[in-house]
Amino acid sequence: MEKDTGSFGVLLLTKESLATLDDGMWLNDIVMDIVLRSVHDELGRHKRRKSLIYPVHFYTKLKNSGFSGVVNWTKHEDIFRKDYLLIVENALGCTFLQSVDSQ
């Protein structure tokens, strides 16, 4: 299934994507990408310059194609100069983030 985009490549939230917000459902890539974009937008300007957040598909592409599959995604960014790098993994077709309890 291809991701629907609106103007400027902004992801559109479909009824199917909204259904993944129900209890017991795994979030899909579209919902996670919207959340990741929101996180990035909420960072202050200084932290945004020091951060790099890739869409969910990045890790899948890296895993399946190796560096050659994502080289165009990284050629304009020196990831080693970033303080924060966020790459989300999509496991078994379901995106998840593991919560870590600090206690």
Side-chain angles (χ1 to χ4, degrees):
M1 181 175 169
E2 190 171 321
K3 294 180 182 179
D4 295 323
T5 57
S7 56
F8 305 108
V10 175
L11 295 173
L12 296 178
L13 198 55
T14 63
K15 288 181 183 179
E16 293 82 14
S17 295
L18 282 173
T20 67
L21 297 172
D22 290 340
D23 287 342
M25 298 291 294
W26 289 93
L27 299 177
N28 71 4
D29 291 357
I30 294 172
V31 171
M32 283 306 303
D33 283 342
I34 290 170
V35 169
L36 292 172
R37 180 170 294 166
S38 177
V39 166
H40 187 259
D41 290 347
E42 289 298 317
L43 295 174
R45 191 170 148 186
H46 178 70
K47 283 189 179 176
R48 215 174 11 246
R49 280 195 313 259
K50 298 170 95 178
S51 305
L52 193 53
I53 301 175
Y54 285 108
V56 174
H57 183 64
F58 177 86
Y59 182 79
T60 305
K61 187 75 169 171
L62 177 63
K63 185 176 171 185
N64 294 336
S65 304
F67 180 69
S68 63
V70 296
V71 69
N72 286 334
W73 297 28
T74 60
K75 70 180 178 182
H76 297 293
E77 294 285 350
D78 183 355
I79 64 171
F80 299 105
R81 299 192 81 128
K82 301 294 182 180
D83 290 342
Y84 309 98
L85 181 62
L86 180 60
I87 300 173
V88 178
E89 179 181 2
N90 183 325
L92 302 174
C94 300
T95 303
F96 68 94
L97 291 173
Q98 183 173 347
S99 174
V100 178
D101 188 356
S102 61
Q103 295 181 359

